[in-house]
């Protein structure tokens, strides 16, 4: 039997509606509207679309959005100065610097300059440390979205074997920590992993986040597993994930499509994080 497709668009819509209700309640209680500041350096077309979608999503749930577009030749100190000013601005609850940056700018320097209380991407060392210690903080949006999808699907994580393919700071490592906090037994795979398919085939929950088109096929899927494909690879014939969807769907119990799976969750969780940041700054 073919796997059930996990509808990320529907789950994201539910999260947005929940945030919209909570934003209205927050605004009524505090007299203040949560605000997100976005920063884009250069004119990368894909990044411009992402920023536009994020700003539109803010407005749809009743949040303020303020955009700062900088020339591609902007120097690092000018960018860092803007990030510092936004960190000190009481009207700003969340800051999102769109990545990737032009090659002459150091993304690590930008992340380290962010005010951790407004780091709605959850990338600063402070928020990464809080996650590592199991302390509440701002969690990277895509990993938070993965966990929201698993919760929506009613996946029992306690005692389950989970395999994460990819060890990035943005997705792989934080999603592994969140799975550990849910009492799953977690293995992280990467480019040096021996017998990748064999390791993945043990997984009750498989999260693919490595950025290699259709890397994992049917041989990497345990019958009845839940597969979350974070990959977003642009090929000549369209967009595909890190999992061969058609092949995996013949083995798995449930799987996220690409597009339409994890992707919509990222912006939804960004909205949730911005509201969380606003609440934390108010208390």
């Amino acid at each position: 039997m073919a796997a059930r497709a996990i509808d990320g668009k529907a789950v994201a819509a539910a999260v947005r509606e929940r945030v919209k209700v909570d934003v209205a309640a927050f605004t009524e209680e505090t007299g203040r509207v949560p605000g997100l500041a976005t920063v884009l350096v250069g004119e990368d077309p894909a990044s411009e679309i992402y920023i536009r979608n994020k700003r539109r999503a803010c407005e749809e749930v009743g949040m303020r959005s303020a955009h700062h577009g900088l020339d591609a030749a902007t120097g690092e100190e000018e960018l860092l100065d803007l990030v510092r000013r936004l960190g000190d601005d009481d009207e700003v609850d969340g800051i999102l610097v769109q990545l990737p940056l032009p090659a002459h700018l150091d993304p690590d320097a930008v992340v380290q300059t962010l005010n951790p209380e407004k780091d709605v991407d959850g990338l600063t060392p402070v928020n990464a440390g809080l996650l590592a210690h199991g302390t509440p903080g701002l969690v990277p949006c895509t990993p938070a979205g993965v966990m929201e999808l698993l919760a929506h699907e009613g996946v029992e994580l306690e005692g389950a074997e989970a395999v994460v393919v990819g060890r990035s700071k943005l997705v792989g490592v934080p999603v592994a920590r969140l799975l550990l906090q849910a009492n799953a037994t977690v293995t992280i795979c990467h480019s040096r992993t021996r017998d990748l398919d064999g390791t993945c085939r043990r997984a009750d929950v498989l999260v693919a986040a490595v950025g290699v088109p259709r890397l994992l096929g049917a041989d990497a899927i345990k019958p009845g597993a839940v597969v979350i494909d974070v990959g977003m690879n642009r090929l000549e014939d369209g967009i595909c994930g890190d999992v061969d969807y058609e092949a995996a769907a013949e083995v798995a119990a449930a799987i996220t499509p690409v597009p339409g799976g994890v992707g919509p969750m990222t912006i939804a969780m960004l909205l949730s994080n911005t509201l969380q940041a606003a609440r934390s700054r108010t208390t």
Side-chain angles (χ1 to χ4, degrees), residues 5 16 24 32 52 91 164 202 216 225 247 269 275 277:
R16 290 189 189 203
R32 192 170 69 81
R52 189 158 56 245
E91 295 298 310
V164 178
R202 300 200 312 261
L216 304 174
M269 302 317 294
L275 177 59

Side-chain angles (χ1 to χ4, degrees), residues 1-247:
M1 180 180 295
R4 179 176 69 259
I6 301 174
D7 189 347
K9 292 181 180 179
V11 180
V15 171
R16 290 189 189 203
E17 187 59 33
R18 184 174 72 219
V19 171
K20 183 177 182 178
V21 171
D22 290 346
V23 165
F26 175 87
T27 301
E28 182 176 353
E29 179 183 343
T30 64
R32 192 170 69 81
V33 178
L36 173 69
T38 56
V39 179
L40 175 62
V41 184
E43 298 178 349
D44 177 72
S47 292
E48 288 180 339
I49 291 171
Y50 293 146
I51 288 289
R52 189 158 56 245
N53 289 342
K54 289 166 183 175
R55 296 192 68 201
R56 184 185 303 121
C58 278
E59 292 162 5
E60 288 174 353
V61 300
M63 291 182 181
R64 289 180 296 101
S65 69
H67 181 58
H68 301 265
L70 303 177
D71 187 87
T74 297
E76 187 164 293
E77 192 51 47
E78 183 180 350
L79 174 58
L80 297 182
D81 182 61
L82 172 61
V83 171
R84 292 187 194 99
R85 285 190 282 111
L86 293 173
D88 293 335
D89 188 342
D90 284 338
E91 295 298 310
V92 174
D93 296 296
I95 305 169
L96 185 144
V97 180
Q98 184 67 42
L99 302 176
L101 294 169
H104 68 284
L105 299 173
D106 180 5
D108 288 338
V110 174
V111 168
Q112 291 171 17
T113 304
L114 282 168
N115 181 337
E117 294 181 349
K118 301 182 181 184
D119 168 32
V120 288
D121 256 341
L123 295 177
T124 57
V126 169
N127 283 317
L130 290 173
L131 178 57
H133 281 265
T135 304
L138 291 166
V139 174
C141 301
T142 299
V146 169
M147 299 304 290
E148 188 77 22
L149 287 173
L150 292 171
H152 181 269
E153 289 296 305
V155 178
E156 179 56 62
L157 293 175
E158 185 165 346
E161 184 152 6
V163 172
V164 178
V165 184
R167 52 179 168 176
S168 72
K169 291 183 286 187
L170 184 61
V171 180
V173 171
V175 83
R177 294 196 185 283
L178 291 169
L179 288 164
L180 277 172
Q181 288 179 16
N183 295 319
T185 299
V186 182
T187 300
I188 300 179
C189 295
H190 45 76
S191 59
R192 305 294 196 280
T193 298
R194 299 173 184 172
D195 189 16
L196 177 62
D197 280 1
T199 303
C200 291
R201 202 162 47 241
R202 300 200 312 261
D204 302 304
V205 175
L206 176 63
V207 180
V210 71
V212 179
R214 302 186 182 98
L215 174 67
L216 304 174
D219 289 343
I221 311 299
K222 177 181 180 179
V226 175
V227 179
I228 306 293
D229 190 352
V230 182
M232 180 70 74
N233 306 290
R234 299 180 185 278
L235 305 178
E236 289 185 1
D237 59 348
I239 296 173
C240 72
D242 294 346
V243 176
D244 184 335
Y245 183 89
E246 299 299 331

